[in-house]
Amino acid sequence: MARHIKFSEPVNESERWAFSKLAKELPEHYVLLTNIEVPTPSGQAMEVDALVVGEWGVYVVDIKGYIGTLDAGVHAWSLDGRNVDNSLSKANYVARILAGKFKHKVPTGVYAPWCQGMVFVTGRLGEDIEVQKPNRTMGVFDPEQIISALTKEWGSTSQFKHKVTEKQKEFVLDTIGQVAVMERRNNRIHDFEKKQCLFINQGVEVWSADYAPGHFRAPWILKILQPAEFESREEFEKFEHSMREELFRLQELAGCSGVPHCAPLIQEGDMLVLPIRMPRGQPMTELSDVVITPKQDLMLLRRAATSLHQIHRRGYTVSNWQHNCVFIDQEGDVEYIDIQNQLSVSDDIQHFAACFLLIAERLGNPTIHQWFRESSKGRVGSLDALRSELSAVLMQQTIAPEHHNPETLLEGSVIDGRYRLIQQITQSDDSEQWRAMHLQGGFECVVSVFYNVEENWQGVASVYNSLKCLYHPHVEHIIEFSQLRDSNTLYIARAWIEGVSLADFREYIVPGQPKKWFAELLSALQYLHSLDIYHGSICPDNIVVYQKTAVLANFAVGSDIAMRGYAANYADPELWAAEGPAERDLYGLVASFVDVLIPKTEAPRTREDLIEGLNYFDPEVLPPSLAEACRRVLSFDLPLTDENYIDLFDLPE
C-alpha cells in the first residue's frame, strides 16, 4: 500500500476509483500525490490528477474515465470513432515543467530523477475499456497494465534507466512543497491523528491513531468507512448499520470493566469514523513467552470473569473469543475488543472457559480447573461461583504457611484459605467435623473433612453443587464442597444448624415429635429424589433435630465412607447391592427412627432386630398402616412408584 497524500478531494468517481486502486496496489515505498497543482513558467497553475514518485522515475498521471475503445495514436486520439483530446501530450508537458524545476533546484551531488507523463484510462470502474496504441511502451494504460507500468523498468521511457534514490525522493517532495503539511492534514480527523493502517479492504479501514488535543496524547483505533470504495450503496449501508450497532453496544456497556471506551461517530466528509480507545496490553496470542506468576493468573481469571459477568448483566455477550480479540496487560486487566452479542449467555460462558482453560490448568487448583474443564464441554457453571472460588484462593496469599492446610487439624488452622477452625465437634478414623468461621463472610459454619477418599471426587462434587443451588427447610444448606490441593482429602462446608443429632436427643423425645420429624424428612427425600439427588448415608447422627423441626445433614461423600463410617449399621450391604439409591435412603430413615425409639442396647442391631422392634410400639403411637409400611421398607418389599412418600406411609398431610 503506497503512501497516499491528498491535496484535494477527487472530482469524479473515476478519479476516486483510480486513486484507491493506485494507493492499494502500489508498493509501500511509493508516494502517491493526488490533485496537486503545478505552476507553469507563465504563473498559471496546472492541475495534476496524480503524481507518483516511484522506483524508476516520477510519473505525472492523468486520469480518464473513458468507456469503450480508445484508439491512442501518436498525435490524435479517438473514442469509439469520436475525436478526443490527446491527454498524454498534456501529461508530458507538465512532466517537462516538473523536470525543469527539478534540474534548477537540484543540490550539488544529486541528479534530478527521470520525469514522464502517463495516462490511466479507468473505463467504468475498471471495466468496459479497450486501449489500442502503436506500441506497448506508449504511456497510455488500462487498469490491467497501470500497476506494472508504474513499478517495472519497461514502463520508463528514459534512454538511461536508473532507480530513484531516497535523496531524490526527498528532493522531489521538497520541490513540490508543503507535502508534510498536507500529509498531516490528511491524517488528522478532528483531534485524532492517524499513524498506521492496520487493515484495509473494500471501503473498510482500521487505523492506529493518537488522540492529540494539544500536548496530551493517547492511543486509539479508528474504524473508517469510505462510501466510495464499496461496490454498492447497499453494501455500504450494511456496514454503516453494523458500525452504528457496535457504537450502541459500547455505549450501553460503558462503565463495565473489560470493555474499551469509544467516542461518538465522526462524519468527516463522506467518511464515517468510529474511534475506540486502543486496548491496553497485548493479545493472548502473544502471551506464550511471558512469565506469569500463579497470583497473576488468579487475578487475571477473576478480572476476566468479573468483566464477563458485568457484560452479561447488561444483557450482552462477548461472542468473539478469538485470542487476538482478548487483550491482557501487565496488571492482569482483560479487555474484550470485539463484543458482537451473537451467542447465548451459556454459550458465551462455554467459549470463555475454553479461552482461559490453559491458564486455569496451570494453576493446579482442582476446583478451578474442574469449573473451566466442565464449562468448556458445555456443562456450564456459575460465574458467581467461579469468582468466589478465585477470591478465596487469592486470600490464601495472606495466610501464614504454617496455618494453611496443615496435616493435623488444630484450632486456628485455616482450610483452603477460607475457613478458620474454631472447635472440633466429632472425629473418626476417616473424618473430622469442626465448628469454623467463614473468613470472607464472617459467619460461623460447620466444616467436615474426609481423608483418603478413594472415589472419583468430581462425581460427588456434582451432587453437592446441585445441593448448593436448591433450598428445602429440612435439608442442610451446603456452602461449599472441594478437594484440598495435592491430596485425597475432601471438605464440605455447611451452614450452622442449631440442634443436636437424633441419636443424642434420644432421652428428650416427647410424644408426637418423631412422627412430625419423620414426615418432614420424608417430604425432603421426596423433593431430593425428584431431582435425582440422594443422601446415601442416613443414620441418627446425620439427622439434626430441635424442638420444632428436623434437618437432613452430612450427605454421603460416597459408598466407601458410608460403609466404613458410623452410617454403616443403617446401610445394609445386602440392600445396597440389590436396591436403588431411593430405597437406600428410605431404609436408612426408617432404621434410624426405629433404632432410636426402641430401648437402647449395647450391640448393634441387625435388620431382623429392627423389624422385630416395630412390635414394641403402641398402635396409638405407631398406627398399623405406618408400621406395615416401615416393615416393608426394612424387608425390601415396598415398591416405589410415583406416589407421594407421605401417602405411601399413610401419614397425614
Side-chain angles (χ1 to χ4, degrees), residues 302-323:
R302 185 173 68 171
R303 289 172 178 173
T306 299
S307 299
L308 183 61
H309 184 260
Q310 291 178 2
I311 292 170
H312 288 175
R313 290 283 297 272
R314 299 279 181 96
Y316 291 89
T317 57
V318 173
S319 303
N320 187 352
W321 288 100
Q322 297 182 40
H323 283 187

Side-chain angles (χ1 to χ4, degrees), residues 1 7 22 43-44 48 72 98 128 148 214 219 225 253 297 331 346 427 479 487 510 513 546 559 576 600 635 646:
M1 182 176 179
F7 279 68
L22 295 175
Q44 182 182 1
V48 174
L98 277 177
D128 301 330
S148 178
L225 298 184
L253 293 170
D297 278 339
E331 303 298 324
S346 59
Q427 182 179 16
I479 302 173
S487 72
V510 299
Q513 280 181 330
Y546 47 101
S559 58
W576 277 48
K600 186 176 182 179
S635 301
I646 298 294

Side-chain angles (χ1 to χ4, degrees), residues 160-231:
F160 305 102
K161 297 179 173 60
H162 300 282
K163 288 188 177 182
V164 177
T165 65
E166 288 300 320
K167 284 188 176 181
Q168 287 176 319
K169 285 183 181 179
E170 293 176 6
F171 165 71
V172 169
L173 297 180
D174 289 342
T175 303
I176 297 298
Q178 294 190 310
V179 172
V181 174
M182 297 306 299
E183 185 173 26
R184 285 196 300 270
R185 185 179 298 175
N186 291 338
N187 286 336
R188 197 166 186 86
I189 302 176
H190 287 209
D191 287 329
F192 297 96
E193 185 178 331
K194 293 191 294 185
K195 290 298 183 183
Q196 181 182 4
C197 184
L198 306 177
F199 173 83
I200 184 168
N201 183 36
Q202 294 184 346
V204 180
E205 299 178 9
V206 180
W207 288 77
S208 64
D210 281 346
Y211 178 63
H215 298 292
F216 174 78
R217 305 186 77 85
W220 282 67
I221 291 176
L222 301 182
K223 295 186 176 181
I224 303 174
L225 298 184
Q226 301 275 14
E229 303 297 328
F230 286 91
E231 295 182 354

Side-chain angles (χ1 to χ4, degrees), residues 252-267:
E252 287 286 294
L253 293 170
C256 293
S257 61
V259 178
H261 301 298
C262 73
L265 281 179
I266 299 173
Q267 191 83 38

Side-chain angles (χ1 to χ4, degrees), residues 16-320:
R16 195 186 308 275
W17 181 86
F19 297 161
S20 174
K21 178 178 178 65
L22 295 175
K24 289 179 185 176
E25 299 184 19
L26 288 175
E28 61 181 8
H29 61 277
Y30 273 51
V31 180
L32 172 65
L33 311 176
T34 57
N35 296 115
I36 68 173
E37 292 185 346
V38 177
T40 64
S42 63
Q44 182 182 1
M46 297 191 68
E47 184 183 9
V48 174
D49 292 340
L51 185 70
V52 177
V53 184
E55 186 174 0
W56 296 99
V58 177
Y59 305 91
V60 177
V61 183
D62 195 28
I63 308 296
K64 291 299 177 183
Y66 294 151
I67 298 172
T69 301
L70 176 67
D71 184 2
V74 176
H75 302 291
W77 289 13
S78 64
L79 178 67
D80 292 337
R82 293 178 290 107
N83 292 331
V84 293
D85 291 337
N86 183 342
S87 299
L88 183 58
S89 63
K90 173 193 169 185
N92 284 330
Y93 172 68
V94 177
R96 287 194 296 272
I97 293 175
L98 277 177
K101 285 180 171 290
F102 296 158
K103 288 179 180 179
H104 283 92
K105 293 188 176 182
V106 64
T108 303
V110 177
Y111 291 96
W114 172 250
C115 189
Q116 73 179 63
M118 270 191 185
V119 178
F120 177 16
V121 188
T122 65
R124 182 183 288 108
L125 304 183
E127 299 179 350
D128 301 330
I129 182 63
E130 179 183 354
V131 177
Q132 297 176 354
K133 53 186 180 178
N135 57 73
R136 176 174 177 261
T137 58
M138 183 177 178
V140 184
F141 302 100
D142 61 19
E144 293 183 358
Q145 301 169 324
I146 187 65
I147 300 300
S148 178
L150 289 169
T151 55
K152 303 298 184 182
E153 183 180 355
W154 67 262
S156 171
T157 57
S158 173
Q159 183 179 1
F160 305 102
K161 297 179 173 60
H162 300 282
K163 288 188 177 182
V164 177
T165 65
E166 288 300 320
K167 284 188 176 181
Q168 287 176 319
K169 285 183 181 179
E170 293 176 6
F171 165 71
V172 169
L173 297 180
D174 289 342
T175 303
I176 297 298
Q178 294 190 310
V179 172
V181 174
M182 297 306 299
E183 185 173 26
R184 285 196 300 270
R185 185 179 298 175
N186 291 338
N187 286 336
R188 197 166 186 86
I189 302 176
H190 287 209
D191 287 329
F192 297 96
E193 185 178 331
K194 293 191 294 185
K195 290 298 183 183
Q196 181 182 4
C197 184
L198 306 177
F199 173 83
I200 184 168
N201 183 36
Q202 294 184 346
V204 180
E205 299 178 9
V206 180
W207 288 77
S208 64
D210 281 346
Y211 178 63
H215 298 292
F216 174 78
R217 305 186 77 85
W220 282 67
I221 291 176
L222 301 182
K223 295 186 176 181
I224 303 174
L225 298 184
Q226 301 275 14
E229 303 297 328
F230 286 91
E231 295 182 354
S232 66
R233 182 68 185 177
E234 291 74 17
E235 186 179 6
F236 167 72
E237 290 175 350
K238 176 183 175 183
F239 277 88
E240 180 186 12
H241 178 71
S242 176
M243 179 177 282
R244 293 187 184 278
E245 281 192 333
E246 181 178 7
L247 171 66
F248 181 77
R249 286 195 298 270
L250 294 176
Q251 288 177 333
E252 287 286 294
L253 293 170
C256 293
S257 61
V259 178
H261 301 298
C262 73
L265 281 179
I266 299 173
Q267 191 83 38
E268 183 82 3
D270 290 337
M271 287 192 307
L272 196 63
V273 183
L274 175 60
I276 300 174
R277 195 205 65 196
M278 180 75 74
R280 293 187 294 269
Q282 52 190 335
M284 291 186 68
T285 50
E286 300 179 9
L287 288 179
S288 57
D289 298 329
V290 179
V291 178
I292 301 178
T293 65
K295 183 177 180 180
Q296 288 174 320
D297 278 339
L298 286 168
M299 294 177 66
L300 187 157
L301 291 177
R302 185 173 68 171
R303 289 172 178 173
T306 299
S307 299
L308 183 61
H309 184 260
Q310 291 178 2
I311 292 170
H312 288 175
R313 290 283 297 272
R314 299 279 181 96
Y316 291 89
T317 57
V318 173
S319 303
N320 187 352

